[in-house]
Amino acid sequence: MEHESQAVILARVSSKSQEDEGYSLDSQLKLLTNYCEGKNLVIRRVFRIAETASKERSRKIFQELLTYVKKNKIDHLAVEKTDRLTRNFRDAVAIDDWLNGNDKRMLHAVKENLLLHKEARSDVKFMWNIHLAVAKKYTDNLREEAMKGWAEKLAQGWLPAPPPPGYKTVVENGKRTHCPDPKTAPLVKRALKGYLEDGNTIETVYESLERMGVLSKNGRRLSRSYVEKMLKNPYYMGIILFNGQEYPGAHKPLITEDLYNAIQDKLHRKRPPNTVKHDTLLKGMMTCELCSKAICWQRQKGRYYGACRRDNPTCKARKFFREDEVVNQISEQLEQLVCPSAEVMDWIVDMIEQDRNSIVDGVTENKDNLMLRIKRIQAMDEMLYDDKLAGEISKARYVEKHEQLQQDMEELRKKLDSIEDDVADKFDEAISIIKLTQNAAEEFKNADTTSKRAVLSKLYTYMGLDKESVSVKFTKLVQSIADKSLKSRSKTQMLNMTVRTNEKSPSNRGDSSESECNSELYPIWLGMRDSNPRSWDQNPLPYHLANSQ
């Protein structure tokens, strides 16, 4: 087969309106196929660019076309019109280079009756340049109109692009706006806040989002670089960053400005933290009970010893504290948090999760009802305005009713703003802390220094040294768990003592059955609420635990 009898055709539809106007891919392919048959050209391959293709995808197909015709020595390229082939001068230069590479190569623009090749007359090349300029003018005008629309949308406080993870697009009154996605917003918020915890990095946030199943707008897994962009994105605090400029957003923020600034401070440290030769576990975490100064640690003879500045005689008279002895005391305190029944704790977590779902559903229903009432008032206000235009009510009556409706709408919006959106986060954090208290002793024993510090920072609000003992203050939630664990251990010991007899037999070792112990422990943790009924006493533990942070 002669190379000069082979051809490649390109069909492109770049917008839905063009397809409606008769420029569909099928109609183009039919036209170009008939043309090639009339010219005795054998079609080697068909390239299509549909209206759904992105800009990157369109360029990729164009480059594939050029590579194909060069590699297979195709001499004929057929398109419907110039603007079906290219609308920018960069691609036009690539076409000119291809044509000038061989005097047998030809470009066929069928509807423009244009046959362009290396030796084409100047009039033909002049018309080619005119068609290019017109095509370029079309894209420039299209971009100009799009920019106008973007500017107006930004002025109204809305992002003229898909929102980041945690938000979804909604259509209201014909306008596309963005609001927090009930499914992913709490997860993204938790991940952003979690970045500030000790030991957390971009990598840990990435792993957290992947574990929770947060995906990109295309339904794909987030990359590490994209997670870093999320941490830097001011959209989450209510600011739209578009083309290098910031605009106040009308969408609801997921985090506060202070939290966003704290994230940026951690991301953009002016200088890396100083490398410390001896990075001790308790550095900066303990205080002297006598002088209220920080305990500093130093290495002597293979051990770490701690002391305050020893500014007063009493502190000077005290000996240094050995770090391993202090750590042992902390480990013993963490063991006191463990409930003697893992089954009871699992049931408590299950109860809190049920309370969480119930309360979150109630909050969502309340918000939906308020939004429905607001929309009804808006519809009434619009109908009232139509009545005014039709002359069915007087201007004074319209002003009176309009102001009343606006006042009612403002009160409903205040109620809507007062509803806590982070109620689910409180419950999730409470569940996380409860699980941590039951595993803290084991984690503290086996974890590295960074993880140990993270455990201590989540459980304690204060750590001090008095003589040779450790004085600590738990968080409110952890203290509640510690008190109930102590009562549970006492109750278990008392039950074991009750069943202990003088009879020494393998069947009677003085231990009560697990089910008997559990039935006695439930009231300690949940008052009069047991595992079957759903009644509440005056202090139901799940709700109060979740709100005692």
Side-chain angles (χ1 to χ4, degrees):
M1 181 182 295
E2 296 292 336
H3 290 303
E4 54 266 24
S5 64
Q6 300 178 56
V8 164
I9 63 178
L10 171 66
R12 179 202 297 259
V13 175
S14 55
S15 69
K16 183 65 176 173
S17 60
Q18 289 177 344
E19 184 171 358
D20 296 337
E21 292 168 5
Y23 293 98
S24 68
L25 290 176
D26 291 339
S27 64
Q28 291 183 47
L29 291 175
K30 183 177 180 180
L31 171 69
L32 295 174
T33 300
N34 292 336
Y35 175 84
C36 290
E37 290 176 353
K39 295 290 185 178
N40 294 321
L41 299 175
V42 178
I43 300 173
R44 286 286 303 274
R45 185 170 173 182
V46 175
F47 289 86
R48 308 165 184 249
I49 302 178
E51 54 104 1
T52 54
S54 63
K55 182 178 179 181
E56 291 76 12
R57 177 63 180 163
S58 299
R59 286 208 53 78
K60 183 178 180 180
I61 295 176
F62 180 81
Q63 293 300 327
E64 288 178 356
L65 183 149
L66 287 180
T67 301
Y68 182 84
V69 295
K70 291 176 182 178
K71 181 179 179 180
N72 295 277
K73 298 181 180 180
I74 307 297
D75 291 335
H76 297 270
L77 172 59
V79 295
E80 185 188 48
K81 296 191 302 180
T82 301
D83 67 354
R84 301 298 93 193
L85 175 64
T86 178
R87 288 177 178 171
N88 63 78
F89 295 136
R90 179 174 56 177
D91 292 346
V93 170
I95 294 296
D96 283 337
D97 290 341
W98 174 70
L99 292 173
N100 291 327
N102 190 325
D103 56 5
K104 294 182 179 180
R105 294 174 179 172
M106 294 186 182
L107 171 64
H108 305 258
V110 178
K111 280 194 173 181
E112 295 166 345
N113 196 25
L114 182 68
L115 186 61
L116 187 66
H117 53 86
K118 182 178 181 180
E119 304 300 332
R121 293 167 48 194
S122 59
D123 289 346
V124 176
K125 293 182 179 180
F126 176 67
M127 291 304 301
W128 159 251
N129 291 329
I130 290 178
H131 291 312
L132 281 176
V134 172
K136 184 66 167 58
K137 169 65 168 61
Y138 175 83
T139 57
D140 290 344
N141 182 70
L142 197 64
R143 184 177 185 277
E144 183 179 337
E145 294 300 321
M147 290 294 289
K148 289 180 181 178
W150 294 348
E152 177 59 28
K153 197 163 187 176
L154 288 167
Q156 296 178 8
W158 300 109
L159 177 67
Y167 287 85
K168 66 176 182 178
T169 302
V170 295
V171 179
E172 186 175 355
N173 296 328
K175 296 182 179 179
R176 297 170 65 87
T177 59
H178 304 139
C179 68
D181 188 337
K183 296 181 180 179
T184 60
L187 306 179
V188 172
K189 182 178 179 180
R190 191 187 314 164
L192 295 176
K193 292 173 65 176
Y195 175 69
L196 295 177
E197 295 181 3
D198 292 340
N200 279 359
T201 62
I202 295 175
E203 179 69 21
T204 59
V205 175
Y206 162 76
E207 293 173 353
S208 174
L209 290 170
E210 184 178 40
R211 186 168 56 253
M212 293 186 292
V214 178
L215 304 175
S216 69
K217 62 184 179 183
N218 299 321
R220 299 174 182 173
R221 293 167 55 188
L222 302 176
S223 65
R224 288 169 177 81
S225 60
Y226 190 82
V227 171
E228 182 177 0
K229 291 180 180 178
M230 289 176 61
L231 291 169
K232 296 178 180 178
N233 194 347
Y235 189 89
Y236 291 109
M237 71 160 179
I239 299 296
I240 298 175
L241 182 62
F242 192 79
N243 285 342
Q245 296 185 6
E246 292 186 351
Y247 303 86
H251 61 280
K252 187 169 186 177
L254 290 189
I255 59 176
T256 64
E257 183 177 355
D258 291 340
L259 180 59
Y260 174 80
N261 291 334
I263 293 174
Q264 304 316 301
D265 290 341
K266 184 174 181 179
L267 278 171
H268 306 290
R269 287 178 177 145
K270 294 184 179 180
R271 54 186 176 185
N274 295 329
T275 302
V276 181
K277 184 177 180 180
H278 302 297
D279 190 16
T280 59
L281 168 62
L282 301 174
K283 177 184 176 182
M285 302 191 74
M286 304 201 75
T287 303
C288 175
E289 289 279 283
L290 296 178
C291 64
S292 300
K293 299 293 179 60
I295 299 294
C296 300
W297 301 88
Q298 55 182 305
R299 189 178 180 87
Q300 296 290 340
K301 297 181 180 180
R303 296 182 185 274
Y304 282 106
Y305 293 86
C308 62
R309 295 177 58 181
R310 303 169 74 123
D311 292 334
N312 60 60
T314 306
C315 290
K316 285 183 179 180
R318 292 200 305 181
K319 65 178 184 179
F320 282 67
F321 305 103
R322 275 178 48 176
E323 184 194 46
D324 58 335
E325 294 177 351
V326 175
V327 170
N328 288 336
Q329 291 188 45
I330 294 174
S331 298
E332 292 174 0
Q333 291 174 346
L334 294 178
E335 291 174 355
Q336 300 303 309
L337 296 174
V338 181
C339 175
S341 173
E343 181 182 339
V344 170
M345 297 308 297
D346 291 341
W347 182 76
I348 288 169
V349 170
D350 182 60
M351 289 297 98
I352 295 178
E353 289 178 343
Q354 291 184 28
D355 293 340
R356 172 196 183 278
N357 296 335
S358 175
I359 292 177
V360 170
D361 290 344
V363 169
T364 303
E365 183 179 358
N366 194 11
K367 291 178 65 175
D368 291 343
N369 289 337
L370 289 174
M371 286 297 300
L372 182 60
R373 291 172 63 186
I374 290 174
K375 289 181 179 180
R376 286 176 179 172
I377 293 178
Q378 289 176 335
M380 291 172 62
D381 196 28
E382 292 175 0
M383 293 174 61
L384 184 68
Y385 183 72
D386 292 339
D387 291 343
K388 172 180 174 291
L389 293 178
E392 297 182 5
I393 60 172
S394 64
K395 181 178 180 180
R397 180 63 174 166
Y398 166 76
V399 171
E400 179 185 354
K401 296 296 293 182
H402 173 70
E403 290 179 352
Q404 181 61 46
L405 291 175
Q406 292 296 318
Q407 183 178 349
D408 294 344
M409 195 183 307
E410 184 63 25
E411 291 178 357
L412 291 175
R413 283 176 174 153
K414 288 180 179 179
K415 291 181 179 179
L416 186 64
D417 293 338
S418 66
I419 297 178
E420 293 187 19
D421 287 326
D422 60 350
V423 61
D425 291 343
K426 290 183 178 180
F427 276 88
D428 291 339
E429 188 173 355
I431 293 172
S432 175
I433 292 297
I434 292 173
K435 291 180 178 180
L436 176 61
T437 59
Q438 303 308 297
N439 301 310
E442 191 66 25
E443 289 187 19
F444 188 78
K445 184 185 302 182
N446 301 319
D448 56 25
T449 299
T450 301
S451 299
K452 287 181 178 179
R453 285 178 180 166
V455 169
L456 296 179
S457 64
K458 290 179 180 179
L459 301 181
Y460 295 107
T461 59
Y462 171 82
M463 298 177 65
L465 281 174
D466 182 12
K467 295 183 179 180
E468 296 183 1
S469 63
V470 178
S471 174
V472 299
K473 290 182 181 179
F474 291 117
T475 65
K476 187 176 180 181
L477 172 59
V478 176
Q479 185 61 55
S480 176
I481 296 173
D483 294 340
K484 296 179 185 300
S485 294
L486 176 61
K487 293 179 181 179
S488 298
R489 287 192 300 273
S490 299
K491 174 65 73 173
T492 302
Q493 291 173 2
M494 185 178 66
L495 290 172
N496 290 337
M497 288 294 294
T498 301
V499 299
R500 184 172 294 128
T501 67
N502 294 326
E503 182 180 342
K504 297 181 180 179
S505 65
S507 62
N508 187 0
R509 292 171 292 182
D511 294 328
S512 59
S513 67
E514 184 177 354
S515 60
E516 181 182 353
C517 281
N518 291 343
S519 63
E520 295 290 336
L521 298 184
Y522 284 126
I524 294 176
W525 291 88
L526 298 179
M528 298 305 296
R529 178 179 180 179
D530 59 34
S531 58
N532 290 319
R534 291 294 178 261
S535 61
W536 296 85
D537 68 347
Q538 294 181 349
N539 186 27
L541 182 89
Y543 182 81
H544 286 270
L545 272 182
N547 289 273
S548 61
Q549 299 288 340

